[in-house]
Amino acid sequence: MSTVPDRAAARLAWTRSALGDDSLELASASSDASFRSYWRTHHDGKSWVVMDSPPALEDPRPWLSMGTRLAAAGIHVPAVHATDLEQGFLLIEDLGTQLYLPALNDDSADRLYADAMDALLLMQTRMEHADLPLFDHARLVSGLEVMPEWFLGKHLGRTPTCHEWDVLEAAFSVIIRNALEQPRRFVHRDYHSRNLLIVEDNNPGIIDFQGALSGPITYDLASLLRDAYIVWPRERVEGWVESYRQRLLKANVIDEKISRERFLRWFDLTGLHRHIRVLGQFYRLWYRDGKPGYLADVPRVYHYVVSVAERYPELADFVALLKRHAEGRDLTQVAAA
């Protein structure tokens, strides 16, 4: 594995060669929860982004392959200008810096979410998913188990008792059955406001799609509308959910047997799966990977978990367990080593 200075020098040299400009420089554009990083440069009046994805840590080929498929389906993903897969460098279209998150407000939300749901419908109707990894029982279970290990155990210092494990497993069974009874479609997996960019043509621009799966039809909808980074009134969220159900009906993806109430339950409990996983994952990113940037978002995620679970009587014991251990704790403060 090369050192950081060596990697930076190789990245710059490759970019200069790819664009034929020995004078250009790179500035950090962003990084994410993986080992990828992104760098911006300018050449001939145009902005470009270099994706640095060290192959030994984060193979760039799944991103490249999935991006090609999404673009063919009419989805706006970054166009690729040049690649060096051996080194893990890709020169890609710059979708800009206008993320959905800071642009979302009471006035813009209907328009921006309508565009995002239009793009989601394209993904769910045009993208082949049978060859993708399944969001199956094993994957659903492993996602949920992150929370007891990293939130209850590592962060709160609470090892569940035998009775508490029974409560957790009963709640997890409800959530897993809900996911498995839904129709399967293409799942982006992280379809939220930090992975959507406002662009002039074919809005939104979509990134971070390399982990796509074949899974529950409401998963990406829940990621979008129950975003870990922004909260909307439940009544407004339910209106958007129903508008998407109507899109699916018109596209003949589902039929009238899938009532508003049933679809909303699918949505609620699928979002609950995601937020239980994220509740553990955000702490894992700190305790295991040394990335504290997500701790500030934990109270919002915890609120999602409790407020949604409270609406379903079969999850009452699960809510009580969480409150017993977490209420009154500052969830943004890391535990002592």
Side-chain angles (χ1 to χ4, degrees):
M1 184 68 188
S2 61
T3 65
V4 172
D6 288 344
R7 186 74 186 171
R11 182 172 57 236
L12 180 59
W14 180 83
T15 306
R16 288 175 170 178
S17 175
L19 288 172
D21 184 347
D22 289 337
S23 66
L24 62 77
E25 298 293 338
L26 290 170
S28 177
S30 67
S31 59
D32 56 29
S34 72
F35 294 98
R36 290 184 302 274
S37 60
Y38 300 86
W39 305 81
R40 183 169 279 112
T41 191
H42 294 84
H43 173 70
D44 281 349
K46 184 175 181 179
S47 182
W48 295 92
V49 167
V50 174
M51 177 195 292
D52 184 343
S53 186
L57 300 173
E58 197 79 29
D59 186 354
R61 288 174 295 182
W63 184 95
L64 188 62
S65 173
M66 190 55 61
T68 300
R69 293 170 62 168
L70 285 163
I75 307 300
H76 194 162
V77 296
V80 179
H81 179 71
T83 65
D84 184 333
L85 299 182
E86 292 299 317
Q87 293 193 84
F89 299 138
L90 291 83
L91 183 65
I92 62 177
E93 174 189 3
D94 188 352
L95 295 180
T97 59
Q98 289 188 281
L99 286 173
Y100 258 48
L101 181 58
L104 282 166
N105 55 50
D106 286 340
D107 295 326
S108 67
D110 286 338
R111 172 177 52 84
L112 292 177
Y113 281 140
D115 286 351
M117 287 189 284
D118 286 344
L120 178 56
L121 186 65
L122 285 181
M123 288 190 285
Q124 293 195 329
T125 55
R126 294 185 180 180
M127 287 292 292
E128 178 56 56
H129 62 96
D131 62 325
L132 297 179
L134 289 178
F135 217 143
D136 57 11
H137 187 276
R139 195 179 295 268
L140 288 161
V141 169
S142 65
L144 292 168
E145 289 178 342
V146 174
M147 186 275 287
E149 179 180 0
W150 292 95
F151 176 55
L152 293 178
K154 180 64 176 178
H155 185 67
L156 296 180
R158 302 292 186 179
T159 300
T161 65
C162 290
H163 171 69
E164 287 178 330
W165 270 117
D166 289 342
V167 170
L168 290 169
E169 289 171 2
F172 292 173
S173 293
V174 170
I175 294 166
I176 290 168
R177 284 197 304 271
N178 173 78
L180 294 177
E181 76 176 41
Q182 297 176 45
R184 289 187 181 277
R185 284 294 184 275
F186 176 91
V187 173
H188 175 289
R189 206 175 180 184
D190 278 309
Y191 198 66
H192 57 68
S193 61
R194 287 185 175 178
N195 285 331
L196 302 175
L197 292 106
I198 299 172
V199 293
E200 289 186 9
D201 299 318
N202 195 17
N203 190 61
I206 300 173
I207 60 175
D208 204 19
F209 42 74
Q210 64 284 338
L213 300 169
S214 173
I217 198 168
T218 62
Y219 191 89
D220 283 340
L221 188 67
S223 301
L224 178 69
L225 301 179
R226 288 264 169 75
D227 192 332
Y229 308 113
I230 190 169
V231 176
W232 300 100
R234 183 173 179 89
E235 296 76 16
R236 197 166 189 187
V237 171
E238 290 185 1
W240 290 324
V241 172
E242 175 59 13
S243 76
Y244 193 71
R245 186 180 76 94
Q246 293 297 327
R247 283 174 167 85
L248 293 175
L249 284 168
K250 290 177 182 178
N252 295 314
V253 176
I254 61 174
D255 59 32
E256 292 289 353
K257 294 177 184 177
I258 308 304
S259 66
R260 179 183 182 128
E261 294 74 21
R262 186 178 182 190
F263 193 76
L264 184 59
R265 179 184 171 88
W266 282 356
F267 170 86
D268 273 346
L269 297 186
T270 301
L272 187 58
H273 178 280
R274 177 174 176 82
H275 289 121
I276 290 170
R277 176 180 63 79
V278 168
L279 190 56
Q281 188 175 23
F282 279 2
Y283 286 114
R284 185 174 65 186
L285 283 167
W286 164 243
Y287 290 113
R288 190 189 70 183
D289 302 332
K291 296 183 177 183
Y294 299 90
L295 293 177
D297 300 301
V298 169
R300 190 179 306 112
V301 176
Y302 176 80
H303 167 75
Y304 272 139
V305 170
V306 171
S307 63
V308 171
E310 282 179 331
R311 297 179 66 88
Y312 294 90
E314 60 268 47
L315 299 176
D317 289 345
F318 172 68
V319 173
L321 186 159
L322 291 181
K323 287 185 172 182
R324 186 164 59 249
H325 293 310
E327 294 293 294
R329 297 284 296 269
D330 183 347
L331 301 181
T332 66
Q333 295 300 308
V334 299

